[in-house]
Amino acid sequence: MDHEITRSDLIHLEHIRAARERIQGMVHQTPVQVHASLNADFGAELFFKAEHLQKGGAFKARGAHHALSRLSPELLANGVATHSSGNHGAALALAASRFNTRAFVVMPTNAPAPKRAATIAYGAEVIDCEPTLSAREAALISCVNATGATFVPPYDHPDIIAGQGTAGLELFEQIGPVDLVLVPVGGGGLLAGVSAAIKALSPQTQVIGVEPAGADDAYRSFYSGERVTEHQPDTIADGLRTTLGVLNFDMIRRHVDAIVTVDDAAICEAMALYMTRAKEVVEPSGIIGLAAILAGVIDVRAKRVAIILSGGNVDLTRLPW
Amino acid sequence: MDHEITRSDLIHLEHIRAARERIQGMVHQTPVQVHASLNADFGAELFFKAEHLQKGGAFKARGAHHALSRLSPELLANGVATHSSGNHGAALALAASRFNTRAFVVMPTNAPAPKRAATIAYGAEVIDCEPTLSAREAALISCVNATGATFVPPYDHPDIIAGQGTAGLELFEQIGPVDLVLVPVGGGGLLAGVSAAIKALSPQTQVIGVEPAGADDAYRSFYSGERVTEHQPDTIADGLRTTLGVLNFDMIRRHVDAIVTVDDAAICEAMALYMTRAKEVVEPSGIIGLAAILAGVIDVRAKRVAIILSGGNVDLTRLPW
């Protein structure tokens, strides 16, 4: 399941434009939300790209639909498979249903209940496994061998990255150039795609990855120059516990200006603030950009700042405060 | 503080149109939200009028701004006062700030923390009192006597009702005639105003009030023909614990087709459903229309149904499940 990465795998704006053509009508063009009271609080112009209102409640629908749109009818006929503890599994289920094929999703037993329920509701066949990477990979291999389904990885793949990048392209078309774009980083699919789009369209815009302090492998990779593969994530931001991908790391090094980390307390505070002021439900991973502003890690004063709200799938019975 | 109600106090569409002219630019024209997955679940076309996105997070801003717009400069100069455990106090504070005057808000000590905080943040001078009606009235009278402020009642007043009615006028202009309109009922300001607007614009539309089973005074008043003034509300819908007003009752009897009740369990279920699917934060009082549909109290199959989401101010640290 490894990808050999060559320079030619790198995703450019043209790939992202092509991805957008392919998924048009399959996923939503999400709105950009502006809140006067938050702007007043921070003395900045904040633009929230509302991917929590995307199909399936997360940006993942973009990459999943794009990846499936690139499979041949023969491959598609055998179904698609992945492992996921959350939004990618649900997105793959949605995309499989759109392409009239089956989705097999290997899920660890500790996946958040609403994400598991959504994945099943969207029609996936869920295969339970222990919550370790080796158990996930073993279950996936055995599923692929048994069914002939095509593995669609959650982030470390050019088609996925190009699909997620459409969020950046759309954002630019909606609000024009900004000073800063803040993007959550877990596996790095969204950050790799969005940074490629934004840097091509507006080279002077700073693109900043935001990561939980308790899952800071992208931060350490970025500043050491070597991809960290061992880490024990400990954060409420369940969507950002994954390890930075290979292709993702390569692209992020080229296009991203900085990666910052924030602790879970700031994530909780940002989540409560956005839910109270904007009356919108966002998940911890989704609101991490605002958490970085709240924590004072990023100076936004008098700037135009775009914040990608990556998802809104949260267990409302288990809010983190 | 009682109002003598005569026929001429009744609010008609012309008053509501005039109110809309007066408050234009001071309050938001809120969007109407549509969710394909909820429509599929219920086999209906559901239109959610998003008053939780109104200034201050509730429809109350409409009535408060309208009431203040009708005061003379002399009266305005002395400030305005009310008693409120929630959204009306915050709305009055907002309106007072818009009209450059002071707002005094008598609040019971058990008012929800976020509503108290918002009222203070919007600039009101909050006066604490014990959580009984007599303590509230005593504190209000002493405040009015001391300051010369004008009492702006929360619902039992023509200017308030005309202001709240602008939500119904807007709704009709946004989506045209529907089969049903579901409106929360507490004191009856919103229901009286919206029903007057809707029945004038679309007489065949059924307007239904929805009330918590644990605070069913409007239900009992409506079906007995006599306004119930004694009740011990027990419901999580803190915005609907008030007693139906006199003018409100008179108007509701003329314009409303039915009042139904739902229990708190259905309210919780509806709140979680809307927050999960729509990714929007609504308060228990606000989502009671959807609760009535969920509980099967109202048959919406194959109908066009408007649901007024009256507010979104909820203590996220104390969600009701």
Side-chain angles (χ1 to χ4, degrees), chain B residues 115-132:
Chain B
K115 292 183 177 176
R116 170 181 299 267
T119 305
I120 294 169
Y122 295 140
E125 294 164 57
V126 168
I127 298 150
D128 288 317
C129 76
E130 292 302 305
T132 66

Side-chain angles (χ1 to χ4, degrees), chain A:
Chain A
M1 282 172 247
D2 276 358
H3 304 271
E4 200 178 327
I5 303 306
T6 64
R7 188 67 202 270
S8 65
D9 277 332
L10 285 179
I11 295 302
H12 299 287
L13 183 58
E14 66 200 278
H15 302 116
I16 296 169
R17 287 198 199 280
R20 202 254 297 269
E21 289 295 310
R22 287 179 165 272
I23 64 177
Q24 197 120 40
M26 296 183 190
V27 302
H28 297 315
Q29 168 158 339
T30 56
V32 173
Q33 303 176 329
V34 173
H35 305 285
S37 80
L38 292 176
N39 285 351
D41 281 2
F42 296 109
E45 271 187 283
L46 307 180
F47 300 92
F48 294 90
K49 175 69 171 161
E51 287 295 298
H52 62 301
L53 303 180
Q54 185 50 267
K55 281 200 179 167
F59 72 94
K60 295 279 189 179
R62 297 177 181 271
H65 283 82
H66 182 234
L68 265 61
S69 80
R70 303 256 299 161
L71 294 180
S72 67
E74 294 70 31
L75 284 179
L76 261 183
N78 290 332
V80 291
T82 200
H83 57 89
S84 167
S85 61
N87 290 325
H88 175 63
L92 194 70
L94 273 175
S97 138
R98 175 67 181 68
F99 284 91
N100 293 311
T101 189
R102 299 163 75 187
F104 303 94
V105 179
V106 172
M107 287 199 117
T109 48
N110 64 348
K115 292 184 176 177
R116 170 182 299 267
T119 306
I120 294 169
Y122 295 141
E125 294 164 57
V126 168
I127 298 150
D128 288 317
C129 76
E130 292 302 304
T132 67
L133 187 59
S134 59
R136 282 163 73 140
E137 289 183 340
L140 179 65
I141 289 168
S142 106
C143 164
V144 164
N145 287 343
T147 61
T150 299
F151 172 45
V152 179
Y155 46 84
D156 200 347
H157 191 283
D159 293 339
I160 295 289
I161 293 172
Q164 320 303 30
T166 62
L169 175 56
E170 246 179 57
L171 174 69
F172 182 82
E173 291 174 352
Q174 287 169 309
I175 62 170
V178 294
D179 298 306
L180 296 176
V181 179
L182 309 185
V183 188
V185 54
L190 184 65
L191 181 56
V194 168
S195 61
I198 293 292
K199 283 293 185 181
L201 293 160
S202 172
Q204 77 286 6
T205 296
Q206 302 269 300
V207 180
I208 300 180
V210 188
E211 196 174 36
D216 66 347
D217 63 302
Y219 173 85
R220 287 185 288 137
S221 303
F222 188 78
Y223 289 106
S224 71
E226 201 143 319
R227 192 173 72 98
V228 171
T229 55
E230 292 285 312
H231 80 144
Q232 270 78 41
D234 178 15
T235 171
I236 55 161
D238 57 274
L240 304 179
R241 290 178 193 145
T242 42
T243 307
L244 187 63
V246 175
L247 175 55
N248 311 77
F249 181 46
D250 193 17
M251 290 184 61
I252 286 167
R253 291 174 76 181
R254 289 166 199 272
H255 298 308
V256 171
D257 297 284
I259 294 184
V260 299
T261 65
V262 293
D263 62 25
D264 280 9
I267 295 173
C268 285
E269 200 186 332
M271 198 172 151
L273 178 67
Y274 203 74
M275 289 175 75
T276 302
R277 295 286 188 81
K279 309 299 179 202
E280 300 270 330
V281 177
V282 286
E283 62 181 279
S285 307
I287 200 64
I288 195 167
L290 182 61
I293 297 174
L294 257 184
V297 175
I298 296 171
D299 180 19
V300 296
R301 195 149 285 273
K303 292 180 182 158
R304 280 169 60 84
V305 182
I307 296 153
I308 305 209
L309 294 178
S310 55
N313 296 319
V314 60
D315 189 341
L316 292 164
T317 65
R318 300 180 64 178
L319 286 174
W321 41 76

Side-chain angles (χ1 to χ4, degrees), chain B residues 14 26 68 95 103 128 159 171 186 229 232 240 263 278 285 291 316 319:
Chain B
E14 66 199 278
M26 296 183 190
L68 266 61
D128 288 317
D159 293 340
L171 174 69
T229 55
Q232 270 77 43
L240 305 179
D263 61 25
S285 307
L316 291 164
L319 285 174

Side-chain angles (χ1 to χ4, degrees), chain B residues 67-93:
Chain B
L68 266 61
S69 79
R70 303 257 297 162
L71 295 181
S72 68
E74 294 70 30
L75 284 179
L76 261 182
N78 291 332
V80 291
T82 200
H83 58 89
S84 166
S85 61
N87 290 326
H88 174 62
L92 193 70

